[in-house]
Amino acid sequence: MMTVEEINGIPFKLGNDDWTFCFYEYLTPLFLDDDGHLSESIKKLFLSLTNLRKNNFRKQLHIKSVPFLVGFFFDEKKIRISSPRLGRELFLITELENYSWPEDSHKEKFEAFKGHANKLASLKIADFPSEIELLTSNYKLPNLLTDKKYTADIEVENKKLVKEILGHLNQYNPSLFERVSDFGLSLTAEYALIRIHLLKFLAILPSLDYDLSGNEVKRILLESVRRLLDDSKTAKVKEKKGQSKAIPLFLSFPLSLFYILASLTPALILARIVRSSVRFLAKRFIAGESIELASESLGKLYKSGRDATLDQLGELVVSEKEADHYLEEVLKLIKGFSSHVPKGSKNKAGINRAHVSIKVSALSSDFKPYAFDYTYKSVAPRLTKILLEAKREDVFINIDAEHIHYRDIVFQIYKKVLLETEELKTFSATGIVIQAYLKDALIHFEEVLDLAKARDLTMPIRLVKGAYWDAETFESDAHSVEAPQFLNKEETDLHFRQLIIRTFEESPYLLLCLASHNFSDHCFAKVIQQKYYSETPEFEHQCLHMTYEALSTSLGKMGWAVRNYVPVGSLIVGMAYLVRRIMENSSQVGVLTIMRSHKSAKSIFTPSHVHLDKKEKGNLKREVTSSGLLKEFFNTSPVRMYYENERGWVEKSMASFRENELSQFYKNSFKLEGAKIDIMSSSNTDILVGSITFGTKEDAERAIEVSSNYYNQGLWPKSKWQERSSMLLKVAALLTLRRNEFASLIVYEA
């Protein structure tokens, strides 16, 4: 009854080298074609990860949408595969080490199984290539880590330009409002407890608009403050350090006093004070509730020689009425620009001064990243209307960044609208965001480049680092998948600079709009352009409105083309935006850290220096899927339907099921006396899913009796618990292997 897998070793050619692929026998249908050879799609995947040709390493891969841990052994030219995080192997080895094997052949099989797992487990994490090293090698990107062209020559020039811009930065005199709010943000950076409870309350507040009495606002506010104080006491008792440490007395005392006063304040009055305070804070980041009310902020920008892109707040719409409202508000922005800047006027980079940023997902209340045709029908009419109106008014439309779930479908919808709408085929005043913190940002970059070439027009791209790091990292941990983004901040910085260079290389099809709060990034791009790409046009520098105003104004004083990203909309509804800004500011490697760096005397290290130093000292943050081997339970990775390469395998399974499995009779080895029943698809009653024989009451009673007898008296209860565990784990592995097949049956039936 014991199930320990046979290890198969299949020789195959990878590039010019002979390799051996070691895998469990039950995985044969997944990896080998009908002729018994390793499939070409898997060879291609392995080749991309062996180009580095350095130290052995392991990495989680999704092969045909099934998760595995894969080890690359360059010394012996072997690729070994196991369950995710080596979980099943570690459990079985631990529990079967002293197991009494009935036959020597079983013992030998176990030893081979153990040796295979030990090889994977013994790899030294410190020797693994970093994600940026893998990416640089696989895609032949500029090597900013070791190429002296960048680490020496460019850095010398960069330091000179940084010194010049620091002169402007240190002359900036922030307002009292900025100083006070920066102090508050610095507290969220230093104390995680403040951040957790503050953001929880801010996130809930917009949903309490119905609470006219203020009772719910008061209850949740008091709960948040109470839990903050309680958690702080616990942190003090446990002597927690770092960001998890207890808040100091100079904070806990006024918070305790506030709790008492808030408890005594009538709910209606307290709610009004809270909402007014939050609106006041939001005004730092949100220019106004409409383009008319944003006139003061826009006027200051234009007076300083800078421009704006207006972002209409309104994410995560939950009704078509809200989607229509978002559309109408965007159209108002487009039409309203003519009262602020001359129609058709352009800045030094040749980009429209009238500029609006939109979130495509806000154009539908039922935005499904895995259902292109369905979502396109809902979104395309509204998006087309926006683009046509922008063409008439000569306003630039920028497609904003969103969660990784939405990125690919947003681009595909945008692409189809531009290519298939006759009036938009020559519309050049539009571009899109690329987020450099994503490991596959270059793939997205190439797709955008292909679109620009297909339209034979210059497409400005807003290159950003990313705005959803926390949410996407936590979600990845929960789902047991590699995070889509770099876990080490300096890797994002390096990839950001690699994409700056790639953008210059692809001129005139792409035009750089560099969005960063790192002054060194702006200088790096200038130096790179002047030294190697002097024929390319002026590019644009961008900052978030009132987030790092010292940098934005300094960039303007350098005489460069500068644009601020200026949100407009309801201050309370825009709370999601405010929370993201607080999270970015609160990050220990975020905006406040950068802001402090130009005021302190400490050295500003290059991202390459930081990365190589961390790697040498073994301080790189690694993916838990490859570093955190675990024999205890963790979640099985789901199929990420928003990725085409994973969704594609599900769609192939659906097509295969439709072709080969529909309408069959499902036999049951347990004899049944009921009627034969046809099961029709509930979503399309013309489709016969399959036929089964129903059981009678007597069949059910007999089944219960047989099952009960076997469970209590058969082989199962007589087996050792290790044997039963191994059997259940094998069943789980087989279910995971065939989950696309079972999912197809479920989809057609339900």
Side-chain angles (χ1 to χ4, degrees), residues 17-30:
D17 299 322
D18 294 315
W19 286 71
T20 302
F21 181 44
C22 304
F23 61 97
Y24 303 129
E25 188 174 18
Y26 79 91
L27 295 173
T28 298
L30 185 73

Side-chain angles (χ1 to χ4, degrees), residues 2 8 20 95 220 242 255 270 286 360 396 405-406 416 432 452 530 537 573 607 648 650 704 723 733:
M2 181 61 69
N8 283 347
T20 302
E95 303 304 335
I220 295 172
L255 277 172
L270 182 64
I286 301 170
V360 173
F396 190 96
H405 304 71
Y406 291 168
K416 187 173 181 179
I432 195 167
Q530 291 167 357
V573 174
V650 177
I704 292 171
E723 295 173 349

Side-chain angles (χ1 to χ4, degrees), residues 87-105:
R88 193 160 67 97
E89 290 81 356
L90 291 177
F91 175 82
L92 289 173
I93 290 168
T94 302
E95 303 304 335
L96 299 179
E97 191 63 52
N98 299 315
Y99 182 76
S100 299
W101 297 94
E103 298 177 24
D104 289 342
S105 60

Side-chain angles (χ1 to χ4, degrees), residues 507-554:
S507 180
Y509 292 109
L510 298 181
L511 175 61
L512 177 65
C513 298
L514 192 158
S516 171
H517 289 148
N518 186 326
F519 44 81
S520 186
D521 289 333
H522 293 275
C523 296
F524 174 86
K526 268 292 176 187
V527 171
I528 285 285
Q529 184 189 42
Q530 291 167 357
K531 197 170 181 67
Y532 298 113
Y533 306 98
S534 57
E535 299 302 314
T536 60
E538 181 82 15
F539 65 92
E540 198 171 87
H541 303 259
Q542 296 187 359
C543 293
L544 292 168
H545 175 63
M546 292 302 295
T547 300
Y548 193 3
E549 196 65 5
L551 176 60
S552 178
T553 56
S554 298

